[in-house]
Each structure stands twice: as C-alpha cells, then as structure tokens.
C-alpha cells in the first residue's frame, strides 16, 4: 500500500506542477457583480483575459486583473525553468463564492427600518498550461 500511495502522490505532484492558483478573500464587491467579470474571462487564454480585464469599465475587473497577475507570478515561481510564452497558459477555473456579509439598518418611513446587506466575496483563479489537447 505504501508504494501505491507514493506513486499516486507523485502523479498528483506532476499534475499540480502545471497548475497555479491565486485567491482573493473578502473582496468588498457583491458576488453577482464579480461573477459578471469572471464569466467574461473563464476558459480564455491569459493574454486575452488580461486584455479583456484591462479595457473593461467594471470596477471588479481591476481586482480580478490583479488576481490573474498574481496567479501568473505563482506559476512562474513554481516553474522557474519554463517560459511563460511557451506554456500557453489559460484560465482553467475561476469561481466566485459569497463572503461575509455586513448587515446595516437604513431608516424607513413610519419609524421602521430596512436591512441593508453589504456583500463581499472570495475569488479563486486556477491557471493551467495548455497541453495541445485543449482548443482555446
């Protein structure tokens, strides 16, 4: 059993060598607005995704752009010997999860109060090297 575990662990490490990720926690933007930006770049090549994010006029795109650049830097740190141009990186996965919610009260007519929910989110970006089986 020890040999089988070791072989599967080595196979997992080899697969993870081609993958890099970055995570942004507690970003003070609603998840719905962030998902619009995430859907725009999902599955795209990194160069194309950075162009889309740079010229998008949404505020959430600035934060996602920094996150993609961070994931690229993480990939470069993992693979010092490989070049970025030859790797043909693409966004394998990007997911937006709901984060903590700040609950505030806003005065309403006739002495009542309405609850305001200030939402935040967590964004995870996973980059992978294109191995010519993908057609992106």
């Amino acid at each position: 059993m020890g040999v089988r575990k070791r072989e599967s662990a080595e196979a997992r490490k080899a697969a993870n060598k081609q993958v890099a990720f970055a995570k942004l926690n507690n970003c003070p933007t609603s998840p719905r607005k962030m998902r619009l930006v995430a859907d725009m770049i999902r599955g795209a090549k990194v160069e194309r995704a950075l162009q889309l994010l740079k010229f998008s006029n949404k505020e959430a795109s600035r934060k996602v752009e920094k996150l993609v650049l961070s994931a690229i830097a993480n990939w470069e740190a993992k693979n010092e010997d490989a070049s970025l141009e030859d790797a043909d990186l693409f966004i394998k996965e990007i997911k937006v999860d709901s984060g903590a919610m700040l609950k505030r009260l806003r005065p309403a007519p006739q002495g009542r109060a309405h609850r305001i929910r200030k939402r935040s989110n967590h964004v995870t970006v996973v980059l992978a090297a294109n191995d010519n089986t993908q057609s992106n």
Side-chain angles (χ1 to χ4, degrees), residues 4-20 75 78-79 92 127:
R4 190 177 53 199
K5 275 189 177 179
R6 184 172 40 250
E7 288 173 353
S8 65
E10 288 170 0
R12 249 192 331 274
K13 281 183 189 176
N16 284 340
K17 187 89 168 147
Q18 298 299 317
V19 175
W75 186 86
K78 227 182 207 186
N79 306 10
K92 182 177 180 182
L127 301 182

Side-chain angles (χ1 to χ4, degrees), residues 57-78:
N57 57 1
K58 295 193 175 293
E59 188 236 340
S61 67
R62 308 289 171 253
K63 295 174 181 169
V64 175
E65 182 182 9
K66 283 179 74 172
L67 188 64
V68 170
L69 289 172
S70 175
I72 291 170
N74 292 343
W75 186 86
E76 287 175 341
K78 227 182 207 186

Side-chain angles (χ1 to χ4, degrees), residues 2-121:
V3 174
R4 190 177 53 199
K5 275 189 177 179
R6 184 172 40 250
E7 288 173 353
S8 65
E10 288 170 0
R12 249 192 331 274
K13 281 183 189 176
N16 284 340
K17 187 89 168 147
Q18 298 299 317
V19 175
F21 75 98
K23 189 163 184 186
L24 173 65
N25 283 332
N26 296 321
C27 179
T29 307
S30 74
R32 185 175 180 178
K33 292 176 185 176
M34 190 65 83
R35 282 189 192 107
L36 288 172
V37 175
D39 291 341
M40 193 168 56
I41 64 167
R42 183 173 286 121
K45 291 188 178 182
V46 169
E47 295 85 14
R48 173 91 173 122
L50 287 173
Q51 289 173 354
L52 286 170
L53 292 171
K54 184 177 178 93
F55 294 109
S56 173
N57 57 1
K58 295 193 175 293
E59 188 236 340
S61 67
R62 308 289 171 253
K63 295 174 181 169
V64 175
E65 182 182 9
K66 283 179 74 172
L67 188 64
V68 170
L69 289 172
S70 175
I72 291 170
N74 292 343
W75 186 86
E76 287 175 341
K78 227 182 207 186
N79 306 10
E80 292 99 7
D81 52 344
S83 72
L84 188 61
E85 291 80 23
D86 296 338
D88 200 22
L89 290 176
F90 70 100
I91 297 179
K92 182 177 180 182
E93 180 183 351
I94 180 167
K95 67 181 176 185
V96 180
D97 299 321
S98 181
M101 203 180 308
L102 298 175
K103 294 177 181 168
R104 301 289 181 256
L105 293 177
R106 166 135 313 153
Q110 298 179 353
R112 289 185 291 235
H114 289 159
R115 179 173 283 172
I116 302 294
R117 294 184 302 266
K118 297 189 174 197
R119 299 174 188 270
S120 67
N121 63 59

